[in-house]
Amino acid sequence: MTSSNPSLESTRPPARRTEWIITLLIRVAGYLSIFYVALISLFLLKEGLPALTDVPLSSLAGKFWYPIEGYYSLWPLIFGSLTVTLGAALFAVPLGLGTAIFLSEVAPKWVKETLKPLVELLAGLPSVVLGFVGILVLSPFIRKAFDLPTGLTAFTGALLLGWAAIPTIVSIAEDALYGVPRSYREAALAVGATPWQVIWGVTLPAARSGVLTAVMLGIGRVIGETMAVMMVTGNAPVLPSGLGALFGPVRTMTATIASEMGEVATGSQHYQVLFLIGIVLFALSLIINITAFMVSNRRTQRVERLLS
Amino acid sequence: MNLPKPFLTARQTQKVGYAALAGIAVLTVIPIIALFIYILIAGLPAISWEFLSGFPRDGMRSGGILPAILGTLYLTLGTALFSVPPGIAAAVYLAEYAPDNGLTRTIRIAMINLSGIPSVVYGLFGLGLFVLFLKFGTSILAASLTLSIMTLPVIISTTEEALRSVPTSFRVVSISMGASKWETIWRIVLPQGLPGIITGIILGLERAAGETAPILFTGAAFFLPNLPNSPLDPTMALPYHLFVISTQIPGMPIQIQYGTVLVLLTFVLGMNLIANFIRSRARARRHW
Amino acid sequence: MDKIVIEHLSLNYSDGTESLKDVSLRIPANQITVLFGPAGGGKSTLLRCINRLNDLADVTMLSGRVLLNGVDVLDPHTNVTELRRRVGMVFSRPVPLPLSIYQNITYGLEIAGERRKARLDEAVERALRQVVLWDEVSDRLQDPAHALSGGQQQRLCIARVLALQPEVILLDEPTSALDPVSTFKIETTLRELRSELTIVLAPHSTQQAARIADTAAFFLAGELVEMQEGEKLFVNPKDPRTQDYIQGRFG
Ligand SMILES: Nc1ncnc2c1ncn2[C@@H]1O[C@H](COP(=O)(O)OP(=O)(O)OP(=O)(O)O)[C@@H](O)[C@H]1O
Ligand SMILES: [Mg+2]
C-alpha cells in the first residue's frame, strides 16, 4: 500500500465496509438499553393491563388480598411495602449518611481503606442470604426482645432491608461528598470554622443533590427488594391497623409476586393482577430513578481537551 | 461583655460529633464482619467432597448440592453470553461515538432505569417475553436472557468508565498515524481498557449469580433428579435452592442450609475478589 | 518548489475563537519551515489543518484551501487515512502508544496493511537509525516504550512517523518537554531529514525558531504577520510587531 503513490482523492478502500458494519452494530447496541426498557414496559402492560377491565373495580379498590375468593385489593400490599420501606429508611438514612460522612470527612486514610471494602461486601450479598440470616438470627432476636408471638414482622424486614440499603447510600453519598472542591472547605476553615462546622455548614449543603440521590436510590433498592423481605416479614397480606402493625406480619408487593406467581394459571385474573403489581413497581422505580437522575444530573462529559 | 457560656465549646462539639460518626460507622460495619464470620464458622463443617459433588437425597435433607452449583454456573455463563458482547459494544458507543445530545441522554436514563427495576419485575418480564411469548419455557435460556438484561447496565457503565479512562492522547496519536476510529478502538482503547472491562463483567455477573427473584418463574427448578441436558431445560440454582431449603422444607437439617449459604457466598464473593484483584493489579501496572 | 500551499485559510472553533484569519502561505519542499509566535496564535491549529486532525475538534467554520502537491486536502473526498500517512505528526508531549518499542514503530505500517515481518524489521531499523536511537534500543525492541526516557520517547515518536516514509512531517513544540541535550539531538536529526522530506515545525521558543528555521512565519492572534527566510526574519524583521516579539517586548 505504501509502495505506490495512490491519489488522495481515492474513495473508500474495501476494508471500510467491515468497519461500517461494526460501527453500525456498535450504534445499535448503544440504543439497546432504550429498546429493553420499551420491551419491558410493553410486556408488563400487555399482561397486566387487562386486569383493569377483567377484575371488578370493587375488588381492586377493596380492602382484602384474598385471591382464592377473588379479592384483589392492592392496598394491603401497598401498605406492606410502605411500612417496610419507611421503617428501613428511618434506619438506613442516618446510618448510611453518618457512615458516608465519617468515611469521607473524618476517617484517616487507613480506616477508610479498611471500612469501604467491607461496606462494598455487603452490597454484593445476595438477597436470599440476607433473608436466611434474617430468619435464623434477626427474627428470633426480635421475637424475644419485643416479646412477640412471631419474629417475622414488618419491623424485622425494615431492619434487614435498611441494613442492606446502607451500601447504596454510603457509596453514592460518599462520592458526592468527595466531589466537593477542597477550596470550599478551606475557605470556611480559613475564617475560623471548626472542621465539624464545615461538614454541616459547607460540605453537606454543597453535596446535597448527591446526598439526596443517595437517599432516593437507597429507598428504591428497599422497595424493589424481594427475597429477603419475603422470607422475614411473615407473608400476611393484611391492612395494618395502627402503629402496632409495625410489629406484626405484613406482605409487600414484591413478595406477593414472588410467592404467588409460581402457582397461578397463565392469563387468569390472579396472573393479571400480579402483573399489575409489577407495573406499579416498575412505575415507582422509573419515577425514583428519573428523579434521582434529574437531581444529580451527572453528566459524563470528557473534561480533557481533545487536542493538545 | 458577659456572653452566656455555651454548653459545649466548638472543640468539644466536634469531639462528640466525630465520636458519634465513628460509632455509626462501626455500627454499620460490625454486623457485616459478624455475618461473614458466623457463616464461615457455621458452614465449614457441612462442606465435604460429597456435599459439593453429590445429588440431593431424602427430599434434599441429605446428600449434596451439585445440581445447584452447576446450575448457577450455567446461568452465569448464559448471562455472560447474552450480556457481555452487547454490553461492551454499547459501552464503546457511549464512550467513543455518542454525541452529547438528547438521544444519548435518553440512553443514559434508560440504563439508569434498567439498573433500578426491581429484580422480581425482571422475573415477570422474563416470564411474559421469554417463557410464554417466545415459548422458551421455564429454561436456562429464558433465565439467562432475563438475567442478562438485568446485568447489562452494570457491564455498560463499568466498561464505559474503563474506556473513558484511557488517555485521549493515545487516540489522537493513533488517528494521526492514519488509523481509523475503529482501528484505534480495537488496537489501543479496548486492550488498554481490558482489565477494567473484565472487572465490570465479573461484578455484573456476580450480581446475576446471586439473584433469585428473576429466575423464580423463568428457569429455576425446585428439585431435579437429573442435570439439565439442554438450554431449554430448567435448572436448580444455588440461591433458589437456599430459599427452598430454608423456607419450604420442614425439618431441613440446619447444617445443609449453612453449607449451602457458604458455597453461595464463596461463589459470589470469590468473583468479587477476583474482580478486585484484576482491578488493583492493572492499576499498579499501568503507566498512564 | 512549494510542497504545501495554503490559501485564505480561516477557521473558528465552536467556542467562537477565530483561530485562523485568512492565512495564506507557501511551504517550500525540503526545508524546515517554522511557525512561531505567542500562545494562542493559531500555530497548532494550522498544523492540524494540514493533516486534517482538526476533524476531531469542534470546528464550526472552515474556509480556504490547503494544497498538498497541488491537491486540496480539505476537500471532503480526501482519503484522510492516506493523507495522514503522507503527513506525519509529532506532538509536544511524547506519547508512546502503550505497546512495545517495536510495535510503536510498526503501528502505522500494520494499519496500512503491511504484514511481512522482513519489511517491518527493516522499517524499524531504518526509522530508529534515522533518529539515532537504534544503538540505544536495538537490544530491547520488545520492551514497553514507556520505559524509555522522555527524550528517547520523543525520538521514538519521530521514528514512528518516519517509518511510514511520509512526505511531510508536522512537529508541534516537539522539544518543549525535553532537556537541552535531547533537544539538540532532535534538532540535528531534523536538519538531516530535510533532504528527504518537508518539515513544518512550531517551536516552543523563539530561540529554537531562530536556530532551526530555513523559513519562518510569525503568527499573531490567528493572523500571519510576516514570512521570510529565517536568517533574514530574525535579524531584520519587516513588521514592527515581529520585531517587538523577537526582542521580547511581549508574549
Ligand atoms: N480544540 C479546540 N477547541 C476550541 N478552541 C481551540 C481548540 N484548540 C485551540 N483553540 C483555540 O484556538 C486558538 C489558537 O490555538 P492554537 O492552539 O492553534 O494556538 P497556538 O499558536 O498553537 O498556541 P500555543 O503556543 O499555546 O500552542 C486559541 O485561542 C485556542 O484557545
Ligand atoms: Mg500550540
Side-chain angles (χ1 to χ4, degrees), chain A residues 52 147 265:
Chain A
L52 293 179
D147 192 21

Side-chain angles (χ1 to χ4, degrees), chain B residues 183-204:
Chain B
E183 283 162 338
T184 302
I185 294 170
W186 180 247
R187 285 171 180 263
I188 304 289
V189 183
L190 280 174
Q192 289 303 305
L194 196 60
I197 297 173
I198 294 176
T199 307
I201 291 173
I202 300 178
L203 290 179

Side-chain angles (χ1 to χ4, degrees), chain C residues 23-169:
Chain C
V23 170
S24 298
L25 59 91
R26 296 170 163 269
I27 294 172
N30 299 95
Q31 283 198 11
I32 298 178
T33 300
V34 154
L35 315 176
F36 76 109
K43 305 167 300 252
S44 304
T45 303
L46 180 60
L47 290 178
R48 293 197 300 255
C49 284
I50 302 176
N51 68 348
R52 288 273 300 266
L53 205 57
N54 264 335
D55 289 8
L56 304 184
D58 251 343
V59 174
T60 45
M61 198 282 292
L62 178 61
S63 65
R65 302 207 296 167
V66 176
L67 306 174
L68 174 69
N69 300 332
V71 178
D72 186 7
V73 305
L74 298 184
D75 187 287
H77 296 296
T78 299
N79 179 347
V80 285
T81 304
E82 188 54 40
L83 170 68
R84 288 175 191 153
R85 278 175 201 143
R86 288 206 224 160
V87 182
M89 185 156 203
V90 177
F91 300 87
S92 59
R93 235 173 354 108
V95 183
L97 292 171
L99 304 167
S100 70
I101 296 174
Y102 185 93
Q103 289 168 318
N104 257 280
I105 299 182
T106 57
Y107 186 78
L109 289 169
E110 283 180 19
I111 294 277
E114 182 59 82
R115 295 272 142 71
R116 287 162 293 187
K117 180 87 171 69
R119 285 287 186 93
L120 295 176
D121 286 348
E122 198 184 291
V124 169
E125 179 168 352
R126 185 173 35 79
L128 285 174
R129 282 194 191 285
Q130 277 179 299
V131 297
V132 207
L133 198 56
W134 176 254
D135 294 334
E136 289 163 61
V137 303
S138 62
D139 53 343
R140 48 182 174 132
L141 292 176
Q142 299 309 328
D143 285 7
H146 66 84
L148 298 173
S149 77
Q152 289 173 323
Q153 285 184 7
Q154 191 65 310
R155 279 184 282 153
L156 178 70
C157 292
I158 298 175
R160 178 170 73 187
V161 164
L162 293 176
L164 282 165
Q165 297 187 292
E167 300 163 29
V168 178
I169 57 174

